[in-house]
Amino acid sequence: MKFDNVLAERKNKVIYRDGDLAVKVFDESFPKSDILNEALNQARVEETGLNIPKIEEVTKIDGKWAIISTFVEGKTLQQLMDENPDKLDEYLELFVNVQMEILSKKCPLLKRLQDKMQSKISSTDLDATTRYELHTRLASMKRHDKVCHGDFNPSNIIITPDGTPFILDWSHATQGNGAADAARTYLLFCLKGEKELAEKYLKLFCEKTDTARQYVNAWMPIVAASQSVKGNPEEREFLLNWANVCDWQ
Ligand SMILES: Nc1ncnc2c1ncn2[C@@H]1O[C@H](COP(=O)(O)OP(=O)(O)O)[C@@H](O)[C@H]1O
Ligand SMILES: [Mg+2]
């Protein structure tokens, strides 16, 4: 296999381009079940008809697990936002449109968001009283079955030269309440230090989907707590602070 270039390098994985293919190679430390789950999620979401890279192969390269998908030509929405700050409003509009398109889909075999969050809350470092509060709150939230990306941020969208958006990175996909997905995106912007953009995003999401801001806010502590489980130490502290704020109404 000849790798033309490295598309992205992370702590425990590298994404290469190999001609028409994108090859995501995971370190030995990465749980096999997570890798296979990511590939299965991606294969399932492919069936919804959303524009996403197609799974071509799941294999081992030099002893490491790899997911091979079609390569999507273009720039990530993150790159475009960085390069053209004057077009931020236009890009944000596109960003929310893509999220709404995802949320319009059903994929009955994806894991349920409610179940995933339930077990994540149990694995946090939060005290029993806070966990109880979060579990109770989660149980009271409306159960939906919309496809939720789970890591919806501008680096997971590629815009092709003809302007078509493709959505990448389905490792956290679930089916559930779209407001939880919006809360996650809001927190992802905040974690990058982009509070202003986070606010702007959420305002637009609420307007376009006719969702009350309070409804998304009610998810914040739950989503923050569940996101804290795998985060690095600084992120964890930030998220656990949010998770402790149980009066997010
Ligand atoms: N199929 C693909 N086509 C083109 N670029 C890709 C593809 N898959 C990943 N990339 C590039 O690699 C980056 C990281 O890939 P991603 O699947 O989002 O991994 P991670 O889980 O590490 O965020 C993306 O932001 C994008 O720039
Ligand atoms: Mg990504």
Side-chain angles (χ1 to χ4, degrees), residues 107-126:
C107 191
L109 292 176
L110 281 179
K111 187 170 182 132
R112 292 200 170 269
L113 180 139
Q114 211 107 358
D115 296 344
K116 187 171 176 178
M117 299 222 162
Q118 166 93 16
S119 59
K120 291 263 178 176
I121 291 168
S122 301
S123 355
T124 61
D125 300 337
L126 293 159

Side-chain angles (χ1 to χ4, degrees), residues 10 151 153 155-156 169:
R10 310 277 192 235
D151 187 20
N153 75 77
S155 76
N156 284 331
D169 207 353

Side-chain angles (χ1 to χ4, degrees), residues 92-107:
L92 211 51
E93 182 91 24
L94 174 84
F95 183 65
V96 174
N97 286 345
V98 174
Q99 192 169 26
M100 288 168 72
E101 170 77 12
I102 299 172
L103 294 171
S104 76
K105 301 294 183 189
K106 301 260 189 277
C107 191

Side-chain angles (χ1 to χ4, degrees), residues 128-147:
T129 305
T130 312
R131 293 200 311 274
Y132 183 92
E133 159 72 27
L134 290 170
H135 277 134
T136 310
R137 179 186 289 245
L138 177 63
S140 75
M141 302 308 251
K142 278 208 191 101
R143 285 168 188 266
H144 290 296
D145 58 358
K146 297 168 197 269
V147 173

Side-chain angles (χ1 to χ4, degrees), residues 220-233:
M220 291 291 179
I222 300 170
V223 175
S226 71
Q227 207 166 336
S228 75
V229 175
K230 277 192 181 170
N232 61 43

